[in-house]
Amino acid sequence: MTDTAREEILGRINQALGRRGGGEYVSSASGTVPTGSPPSATGSEQSHGTSGEAEAAGADIPAAGGGMVNQSADYLRTGTHEGEDLIELLIDRLVDYKANVHRVSGDPAATIAGLLDSGSKVVVPRGLDDSWMNSFSGEVSVDAPGQELSIPELDAQAAVVTASAVAIAQTGTIVLDGSPECGRRAITLVPDHHVCVVRVADIVDIVPEGIARLTPTAALTFISGPSATSDIELKRVEGVHGPRTLDVVIVDT
């Protein structure tokens, strides 16, 4: 992630939490709210008033670290990017996360086939558009309720192809919601290659816009680039927790 993008995201987080750059919490209604002190090593903590006082205040609630956050804070709920700027922002973030991005107009079948090894085994969720796999010459297995592939069977698949529910441009995040065209979580975690189709109509600017489109009780999977970790000696290792390769096909429809 570029420094500019990081600063922009952190700035918006601070704004949403109602705090200034130095970590001081503020109330959008009445200005600065005392932050208080975090719990000490002996377990003592600073009181923020009685429950009656809290109810009277109405808006302020305890925050992590002993501060106070105003519930009525004016959160940013709508982004400012749209059209080509929105799409280009998503592409920039995805590339920054080391995902491979391919933009097509209309039918993505030929692009998808070109990303898959000819003659290989590929798994798809039961609700995926059948036409998307028409140009692929390999073996396609459909994962469906009552016909779920086992972990060893999924491990034998060269790739998985799914659709997506939402793509969030600011964070370069693709969300799968467990719907028939996205499939269950296991099929996108075990194969080493994930080809994910994103419709332009499903791209939003910021996280609140994305969350507003999702069903909270769904099995949501948030994907920001291929699986990677730097836990071991601070060296980036890809493919530890999921697919090593992520190809995102952005479809203009």
Side-chain angles (χ1 to χ4, degrees), residues 107-195:
D107 186 4
T111 300
I112 292 173
L115 297 172
L116 303 171
D117 293 332
S118 178
S120 62
K121 295 182 178 181
V122 174
V123 58
V124 300
R126 62 186 173 91
L128 192 76
D129 189 329
D130 292 336
S131 68
W132 290 358
M133 302 303 295
N134 283 346
S135 300
F136 176 59
S137 60
E139 178 183 333
V140 178
S141 298
V142 179
D143 187 86
Q147 299 177 323
E148 295 92 349
L149 274 67
S150 66
I151 298 302
E153 288 173 326
L154 288 175
D155 194 37
Q157 306 298 313
V160 56
V161 179
T162 73
S164 58
V166 173
I168 303 169
Q170 288 280 1
T171 59
T173 302
I174 297 170
V175 186
L176 310 183
D177 63 357
S179 61
E181 66 175 3
C182 291
R184 63 191 177 104
R185 184 171 291 148
I187 69 172
T188 60
L189 293 179
V190 179
D192 200 42
H193 182 192
H194 184 188
V195 177

Side-chain angles (χ1 to χ4, degrees), residues 4-16 19:
T4 302
R6 183 181 295 107
E7 290 172 3
E8 181 179 350
I9 292 171
L10 290 176
R12 292 192 174 186
I13 291 173
N14 283 330
Q15 180 183 6
R19 64 189 180 190

Side-chain angles (χ1 to χ4, degrees), residues 37-90:
S37 301
S40 67
T42 59
S44 62
E45 59 183 37
Q46 181 173 335
S47 171
H48 293 291
T50 64
S51 58
E53 291 172 342
E55 292 173 0
D60 300 328
I61 58 174
M68 300 291 283
V69 174
N70 189 278
Q71 288 183 341
S72 61
D74 185 17
Y75 295 101
L76 185 65
R77 301 180 186 279
T78 304
T80 57
H81 295 85
E82 57 185 18
E84 283 298 314
D85 289 342
L86 180 65
I87 299 170
E88 288 301 320
L89 178 61
L90 174 64

